[in-house]
Amino acid sequence: MPTLLELTFNAADDKRAEDIVVLNMEGVSLIADQFVICHANSERQVQAIAREIADKASEENYEVKRIEGLDAGRWVLVDLGDVVAHVFHKEERGFYNLEKLWGDAPTIEVGDNTVQ
């Protein structure tokens, strides 16, 4: 069984999320242990990525605590407890720039993919 982080990363990757970055939030934030941040070029694709993450987590018996922003498809937050996925529309990602906001959080390598 994949870890929750691997599952989240792979689900986003399977739906062609772009520029997937994983931040290690342990010791940086009490919100989650890891943030998975990615984007897509349309609201529809943002929604598809978020749904895929939630569906795959549920299939593996991980609890989906909440999903916010799905209807708008601009910034969808999928709260899986230890892992929080932030799926942005490309324009929103640049505006909110979570990687810079949480710049003191180190990045994590997932599977065969090295994240920045």
Side-chain angles (χ1 to χ4, degrees):
M1 183 162 111
T3 67
L4 182 56
L5 177 59
E6 291 168 334
L7 182 144
T8 304
F9 184 96
N10 292 335
D13 191 48
D14 287 349
K15 287 294 179 181
R16 301 209 163 129
E18 296 186 28
D19 195 17
I20 305 171
V21 174
V22 180
L23 299 180
N24 183 353
M25 302 304 290
E26 292 181 58
V28 177
S29 171
L30 299 174
I31 298 169
D33 291 342
Q34 292 98 24
F35 279 177
V36 176
I37 304 168
C38 61
H39 73 266
N41 294 316
S42 72
E43 287 89 354
R44 192 173 190 169
Q45 188 182 10
V46 168
Q47 294 164 336
I49 294 165
R51 283 191 188 102
E52 183 76 0
I53 291 168
D55 290 349
K56 293 296 183 186
S58 293
E59 287 173 18
E60 295 292 336
N61 297 314
Y62 289 108
E63 180 185 359
V64 179
K65 295 186 180 288
R66 71 177 186 250
I67 300 174
E68 295 182 13
L70 189 62
D71 289 342
R74 302 296 292 178
W75 175 5
V76 181
L77 183 140
V78 183
D79 183 352
L80 303 169
D82 292 340
V83 175
V84 173
H86 298 269
V87 186
F88 286 98
H89 188 284
K90 186 175 185 175
E91 296 163 2
E92 304 297 319
R93 184 175 185 173
F95 179 78
Y96 289 102
N97 201 353
L98 291 187
E99 293 96 319
K100 185 175 180 186
L101 178 67
W102 295 102
D104 49 346
T107 56
I108 298 174
E109 182 177 319
V110 177
D112 295 334
N113 300 294
T114 304
V115 292
Q116 303 173 9

